[in-house]
Amino acid sequence: MADPGETTISMDDLRALVRVAGLPLDDAELEELLPLYQFLKQRVDMLHEADLPLGGQAMTFPADWNR
Amino acid sequence: MAAPGELHYLTIGEAAPLIASGDLSPVELTRAYLDRIEAIDGRLDSYVTLTSDLALSQARQAEAEIRAGNYRGPLHGVPIALKDLYDTAGIKTTAMSRVTPDRVPDEDATTVAKLYEAGVVLLGKLAMHEFALGGPDFTSLFPPARNPWNTEHMPGGSSSSSGSGAAVAAGLCMGALGSDTGGSIRGPASMCGIVGIKPTFGRVSNYGVVPLSWSQDHCGPMTWTVEDTAIMLQAIAGHDPRDPTTADVPVPDYLAALRDGVRGLTVGVPREYFYEEAPGVDVQVIEAAERALEALSELGADIRDVEIPHIKYAQAANQVIMMSEAYSFHEANLKTRRHDYGDMVRNRFLLGGLLSASDYNQALRMRRVIKDEMADALHQADVLVTPTYASPAPKIEGYAGGTTLTQPSFTGPFNVSGLPAVSIPSGLSDEGLPMGLQIVGRPFDEATALRVAYAYEQAARFIDRRPPV
């Protein structure tokens, strides 16, 4: 899934992540998941590398909230 | 549009006045559909549950009401079907999964209740991708639906309202509801040569619809014509106290401005990303969209390039938000009975468990930027126009599960922003498979998107050609 030679995460890294998530996956399942995760990780890294304006999500009540 | 004896190819707009006047019996119409489903759906697998008895009972009731002078409107006595994630009281709603193979809801989804109120006849529940994610998967509860234009091909690619697309295109219902989290209404609409709209987020209630991604799920209709989509959207749109994400804003008359043409309107063209050659993009869909832009220009629209600077990040944001929210919903089952999920959707949901809070938050921050940039683009244009899907329908056999992750998505960006987007046919590929054009409107302005769609539909006349089933 990831471009050849562009391995972004190892099987051991994935195993550790899965353990933290509390998912009881066996080695065969991890093998199946690894290329998908490698691809997703590239997409996630892309989001983190983007230069975004500071500021959180809108949590302000609109002024007319009680109308 | 329908030849004599082909009741199943009547559009809603054609059938409604005949039903209202008593010249077309809802019972006769319903029987025609049930007969056709019996005859050809074995090749398409678009239905997972048939509700024949209910349909005939509803049709008889509609006929009696109309005879008594109580005509409810253009959906009265019209046979439709529902993607199998819409809750239907007393009728199995499986979401196509072995996790919920026998689930029978106690109440109807708000949209279903509204359609019943409008007088529809329910033919049954339609195939989909399991829990509305992934692609065709032979390990799901039912076999995947097939494309009526070529049954070796899928009806929706990675888009999950596959049965809805196939059934509408094949004349197995007059209209259907789909759902759309990354393109699952618009993808099958594109690949099956029909019309489908993802309304503005908050325009249509999601109450009683099995969720995939709470902040990106959209319910909407799929039909043969733009007029029919407008008719169905009219029936289901509006604020729902049971769904706090719905907006309490007026619903316009979607038919009122449908025929007003495009003269004086500005069509924005976001060339970056949507019109670029890239891996996974078939140049035929771009060429078809370019031809559509020329046609809209000839019809009097002003065509203008616009920019959405962060658009290349939209698909990543769509996927990270989708997988994170889907994992939240499925976490308990994934930890205790993951093998009840089909292979494709299980892996996709598991990925959601490996994303961090920081990943999710970064996707939400990106969403805010993209929404603002799309709003800026729509200050310069009344609608945006793009190809709907990156390719015509792929083959089912040999379809790689990862394709849904890697192929560029032209639809997902508008789930991120929540803008309304309609897909209409833009022609057939060299292989004779449909392609689609996406028209994106301003927030809560589905009416203008439908107006542009109608103008192009009437000029291009792709609606005159039906699939060879």
Side-chain angles (χ1 to χ4, degrees), chain A residues 1 3 9 15 17 25 27 36 38 42 44-45 54 57-58 62-64:
Chain A
M1 197 69 50
D3 289 340
I9 188 165
R15 191 173 285 113
L17 266 175
L25 306 188
D27 280 356
L36 293 170
Q38 284 173 337
Q42 290 175 5
V44 170
D45 289 347
L54 293 174
Q57 305 303 309
D64 61 349

Side-chain angles (χ1 to χ4, degrees), chain B residues 105-157:
Chain B
D106 294 329
E107 61 176 338
D108 294 317
T110 296
T111 40
V112 176
K114 285 188 169 196
L115 286 174
Y116 283 160
E117 188 65 27
V120 300
V121 169
L122 180 63
L123 294 169
K125 308 294 287 289
L126 295 164
M128 53 184 282
H129 299 331
E130 183 176 359
F131 285 120
L133 186 64
D137 187 346
F138 288 91
T139 62
S140 297
L141 181 62
F142 300 104
R146 291 177 178 272
N147 194 315
W149 291 86
N150 183 333
T151 54
E152 291 183 3
H153 291 250
M154 57 185 77

